[in-house]
Amino acid sequence: MMLNTSPNLARPDDFYEALIAMHRDLDDAASQSVNARLILLLCNHIGGHEVLLEAMQRARTSVAPATAAA
């Protein structure tokens, strides 16, 4: 299985609204926790090791590493 990067959500606006609602009234730590749980649930659903590695690589390339404050 290859990573599908084409738009694939049946109802993207409804999904985005539900995603935002999932975080409503959560502090930063709880929001990060619920994101981590969601990621792990979806990774388990996908299951394909190579697909998950590709997704992680693609996600990581779009984020610059943190720099130490001087």
Side-chain angles (χ1 to χ4, degrees):
M1 178 189 336
M2 294 182 59
L3 182 65
N4 181 1
T5 59
S6 298
N8 195 34
L9 294 173
R11 295 167 39 199
D13 292 337
D14 291 340
F15 171 76
Y16 184 74
E17 185 177 317
L19 185 63
I20 296 303
M22 180 179 74
H23 289 274
R24 195 166 289 123
D25 301 324
L26 299 179
D27 63 18
D28 287 345
S31 183
Q32 289 178 9
S33 179
V34 78
N35 270 341
R37 290 180 60 130
L38 178 62
I39 289 167
L40 291 174
L41 286 165
L42 293 172
C43 287
N44 184 66
H45 179 74
I46 293 165
H49 183 73
E50 296 301 323
V51 172
L52 294 171
L53 289 179
E54 183 181 348
M56 288 189 294
Q57 290 169 342
R58 285 177 177 251
R60 181 66 170 100
T61 59
S62 66
V63 179
T67 56

